[in-house]
Amino acid sequence: MSNAVVRKTLISLAVAGAVTLAQADVVIGVAGPHTGAYAAFGEQLWKGAEKAAQDINAAGGVNGEMIKLVKADDACEPKQAVSVANRLVDSDGALAVIGHFCSSSSMPASRIYDEAGVLMVTPASTAPLLTDNGLPGVFRVCGRDDQQGDVAASYIVDKLGAKRVAIIHDKDTYGKGLADAMKTTLNAYGVKEVMYEGLTRGEKDFNSLITKIRSVDADVVYFGGLHSEAGPLVRQLREQGSKAIFMSGDGIVSDEFVAVSGSPEYVDGVLMTFGAPPTSYPSGKQIIQEFRDSGYEPEGYTLYSYTAMQVAVAALANNNLDPIKGAEWLKSNSVDTVMGVKDFDEKGDLTVSDYVMYEWDAQGKYHQIN
């Protein structure tokens, strides 16, 4: 019998009163890319979870027990995600995990948490398959790529009136999945892409790719991927004279997108889908101000991570710290968060998705445009 199965059995027995587990703290992992090319997103996840844990502990903790956070660095690498997931389960004794960030990391890690009876709430993983797999303890407080892709395709057709769309992706679970979701809806509108091609994460020289994009006379370039490739790609497009509108998804919602592009001028006019402004919710105003007073701007997924912590804690607090019962509870109970009231369906998805379109400006800032 695996350690995870033994642990899951012990939790069940403890809830039934048959055994007593020594638990000085409520251990919650925060899993994501804390180092490497995508560390900006890992920082967002950590800052949000850390602030939430501090606030919850200051208010008395979880049924009187203090939250202890454990940082788990997966670097957005699936194999490393499996390793840190096993460590969180077997060594750290985590009851819940906030994470992961990349869908390609969340999916293999979710199976380990499921086997161990650990609650998983991701602030950012949008691949539909993550919740479509049917694992009962997996939740997300963001939307799905099929929802995000619909918004992007609708905007391309209805608002931009584009007919020549080049679709580029980074061959990863998230990037390709998002590109494919957008492509499906775009095709349903009767628009056939003029180009569909993948690049490799870590690439920096896109000259040959841009030559192809220019040769098909694309009026929109849609990129499924993260800021680390999107930044250099849009810069090189502009340097080579392309006037095509550049659009991407929530993988570029970071100031690092501007940094890796080289200058705010290159991101000017770039379009991006992301959830409704996290900072717009009245319930989060005090927390946002506290972040800003501390010198940190809660950009991107920071408040999503805070929300994920609130969701996980509500599940544990209302079910005697039992993650399995907590997961069941979440599917029939609402949770008040800094991003409003959250309700989940049987898959662990939000019952309401709120993707909108944003535009980056010449000052390197993004703002909602619809």
Side-chain angles (χ1 to χ4, degrees), residues 348-368:
D349 287 320
L350 291 173
T351 57
V352 177
S353 174
D354 60 356
Y355 282 111
V356 295
M357 189 65 67
Y358 293 80
E359 183 176 21
W360 288 82
D361 61 29
Q363 285 70 51
K365 303 298 180 182
Y366 56 86
H367 53 91
Q368 183 181 346

Side-chain angles (χ1 to χ4, degrees), residues 12-23:
S12 298
L13 290 171
V15 171
V19 299
T20 301
L21 297 180
Q23 180 90 32

Side-chain angles (χ1 to χ4, degrees), residues 66-148:
M66 295 295 103
I67 297 171
K68 175 185 175 183
L69 293 187
V70 177
K71 183 180 287 189
D73 180 20
D74 67 16
C76 272
E77 294 289 344
K79 289 183 179 179
Q80 192 163 325
V82 169
S83 176
V84 300
N86 278 314
R87 190 202 79 200
L88 286 170
V89 169
D90 295 332
S91 299
D92 298 313
L95 293 179
V97 173
I98 308 305
H100 297 224
F101 177 77
C102 288
S103 293
S104 56
S105 292
S106 285
M107 287 200 288
S110 67
R111 292 188 283 272
I112 293 165
Y113 302 137
D114 176 66
E115 183 182 356
V118 172
L119 178 65
M120 172 182 171
V121 186
T122 174
S125 291
T126 53
L129 191 58
L130 177 63
T131 47
D132 287 351
N133 276 333
L135 302 181
V138 177
F139 296 80
R140 58 175 140 217
V141 295
C142 56
R144 296 163 51 109
D145 287 335
D146 43 8
Q147 299 164 337
Q148 185 172 190

Side-chain angles (χ1 to χ4, degrees), residues 141-309:
V141 295
C142 56
R144 296 163 51 109
D145 287 335
D146 43 8
Q147 299 164 337
Q148 185 172 190
D150 284 350
V151 171
S154 297
Y155 195 91
I156 288 171
V157 174
D158 296 335
K159 300 293 186 180
L160 302 179
K163 300 296 184 184
R164 304 186 63 79
V165 182
I167 303 175
I168 313 298
H169 62 82
D170 66 359
K171 304 177 185 176
D172 186 73
T173 303
Y174 162 71
K176 187 175 185 301
L178 178 57
D180 288 348
M182 195 284 293
K183 177 180 178 296
T184 297
T185 303
L186 186 72
N187 294 165
Y189 275 107
V191 178
K192 173 67 176 175
E193 69 279 1
V194 295
M195 178 179 174
Y196 177 87
E197 190 159 329
L199 54 80
T200 301
R201 278 189 174 184
E203 278 189 73
K204 299 301 178 186
D205 184 354
F206 301 115
N207 282 324
S208 60
L209 178 62
I210 292 169
T211 298
K212 293 180 181 179
I213 292 172
R214 296 187 67 192
S215 72
V216 298
D217 194 27
D219 46 20
V220 171
V221 175
Y222 184 84
F223 177 64
L226 301 178
H227 67 269
S228 49
E229 286 72 43
L233 178 58
V234 73
R235 181 187 72 242
Q236 291 170 46
L237 276 166
R238 300 300 177 242
E239 288 175 341
Q240 293 194 30
S242 173
K243 302 297 184 183
I245 295 170
F246 190 91
M247 181 186 291
S248 191
D250 53 0
I252 65 170
V253 62
S254 167
D255 289 342
E256 281 297 302
F257 173 52
V258 182
V260 298
S261 74
S263 172
E265 67 178 296
Y266 294 121
V267 307
D268 188 21
V270 168
L271 301 176
M272 168 186 76
T273 47
F274 186 46
T279 55
S280 67
Y281 293 90
S283 55
K285 285 185 176 179
Q286 179 180 337
I287 302 303
I288 293 164
Q289 190 58 52
E290 289 174 5
F291 268 119
R292 289 172 175 166
D293 289 345
S294 72
Y296 179 77
E297 180 61 30
E299 68 162 343
Y301 283 101
T302 305
L303 295 180
Y304 283 81
S305 187
Y306 193 111
T307 295
M309 180 67 73

